[in-house]
Amino acid sequence: MEELQQLDPDSLGTLTIEEGGFGTLMWDGSPRRKIERLLPKLPTRSTSRTMRDLMRRLLLSTAKAPAGEPLLSSQKDLIGTRLELLSAMGDLPGVTSLIKEVPATARTDRLLRSEVDALFMKNDNAGVCSLVASQIGQVETPYWQKAFIFCQSLSGEHDKAALGASLLRETGDNDQIFNGLLEQLSGLGSYKVASLADPEPLHFAMVRAAKTDLPADVTASNNPAILRTIATSPNARPELRLDAAERAESMGALKTEVLRQLYAGVTFSEKALKNPLTTADSQRNPLSRALLYRKALVENVPAASAEVLSKALKLGRDGGRLPSLARIYLPILQTINPTQDFVWFSPEAIRAFLAAGDLQLASQWFAMLKNAALLDENAAWILSEVQPLARLAGAIDDSDWNAGLLAKWWQASNAEKEENPVAPEMNRTRAELLYNLLDSFGDEVADAEWGPLLDGPPQSTVLMPQPALWRSLNIAAQNLRVGETILLSLLALGESGPAQANPTVLHKVIKILRTVGLEREARALAVEAAVAFGL
């Protein structure tokens, strides 16, 4: 018989390796102080779905905590950092599921606050008040006192709430928004929130309970959790909800179906509904995108539907919104059969399906285009343009790929340079990215293909990870430290993600992720980058 060791909350998680986690030894060999220093820097606001998936799995994996002394003696819980990062990502289900794994005896004030904030964001006032009531006797910080006072007001104990707020003000805590909304909840007066540029979860809950309008500057925040809450708040104006919903969906904090419902629920005039394509071209904002979605939704003729989709997706590509719009229009895209009548639409359809993560349908469209190219010169030209992208996505196997296809792609890409004076520079940029991506997957790019790119400037100004991080990434991968390799890869890509990453950085990150067995994720990053650059 052996004595059971004390449970380490930092080792708890909700994902086993079979469920998508990275294994119980993912931090093996990684110094705790290093992980503590780097983990809070995760790019939680990235719009890359692949990066978000890697972050979520990293934070939720069941894994033995990294060995060593903590960086700060006052901060001994990595699980607290993990919860705060999940909350910053807007992954409220992840917060809820992870904190359930922590025994009640191990729940610190830091962990409990993360739980309360998540409940506030989900508009679960009953859950908040139950938790606050069980803790108020043990902690008396202003945060918990305000939450308790709010709960008293919700239950109709307005006198007690007013007394508590008065005592709180005497201690020097004069939160004007909190006090103003409390008065409105008690019926003692009305209060209009003039500004809420950096809102707290409690403020959101109070605004909703008081049924007062959210101010215009509330969408100034770029926090996914806050944007998600605004999108689902009935007391926000439609344009505010749409703006927040688009940004929250792009970051993965809001389900795409919720954004579809918001788009479909906007009321438009008869005049606007008659010319949606013109409006979308001249007014590139959330309302014009909602109008275009409504038009696509009601079209019954496949050719007309394809025309609207083509317009929407091209605008999305120009505005850097293609991945999000591809997910939104996916159910409509799936209704159009890939026949040779739609050769003209095939590039947009293939890019959209790949951006939405539907390789199967993208492959069907590519197969149709390949067959059409046997007899149709225009189809053959289009095929040359999309073949490298299909190769990156895995839609072309080794037997059908050869270096000559890159020469055809370069020729097709440069066909428009006489009409577009910036085309040569744009094509060089795309080629640099494409050749780096192909090389990272082992596809050799001949010197003859690289040669034309030497016509560009010999040096360029680019953003690169700091040398210490770059060095650590190499060492972590060489020693197969899976968790640390993923963490450093995400930091190397940064908030802007693969859509704006330097080709050299992408090349390195993709090769390193493949080294630790993340082939699927590496390919997904390559496709995200390729689609964002217009390949």
Side-chain angles (χ1 to χ4, degrees), residues 422-439:
V422 301
E425 183 178 349
M426 186 183 302
N427 288 336
R428 277 197 303 270
T429 300
R430 289 173 179 169
E432 287 170 356
L433 174 73
L434 174 61
Y435 298 168
N436 270 283
L437 292 176
L438 288 171
D439 185 78

Side-chain angles (χ1 to χ4, degrees), residues 25 57 158 182 235 300 310 333 362 441 517 527:
L25 298 179
R57 291 159 61 193
H158 299 300
L182 191 66
N235 52 329
N300 295 319
S310 178
L333 276 164
F441 286 102
V527 171

Side-chain angles (χ1 to χ4, degrees), residues 350-377:
I350 290 170
R351 290 189 186 101
F353 282 123
L354 290 177
D358 195 331
L359 178 59
Q360 182 178 357
L361 282 174
S363 297
Q364 290 178 15
W365 277 84
F366 182 74
M368 177 275 292
L369 183 59
K370 189 176 178 181
N371 289 331
L374 297 173
L375 299 174
D376 184 344
E377 185 178 345

Side-chain angles (χ1 to χ4, degrees), residues 398-470:
D398 292 346
S399 61
D400 291 330
W401 178 256
N402 61 74
L405 298 179
L406 278 182
K408 290 183 178 180
W409 171 81
W410 178 254
Q411 184 181 6
S413 298
N414 282 276
E416 60 177 282
K417 66 181 181 181
E418 293 183 2
E419 302 174 11
N420 183 359
V422 301
E425 183 178 349
M426 186 183 302
N427 288 336
R428 277 197 303 270
T429 300
R430 289 173 179 169
E432 287 170 356
L433 174 73
L434 174 61
Y435 298 168
N436 270 283
L437 292 176
L438 288 171
D439 185 78
S440 67
F441 286 102
D443 285 334
E444 184 178 352
V445 180
D447 287 344
E449 308 306 331
W450 283 101
L453 305 189
L454 295 175
D455 293 337
Q459 294 181 338
S460 60
T461 302
V462 296
L463 287 175
M464 292 288 290
Q466 59 161 295
L469 191 150
W470 200 244

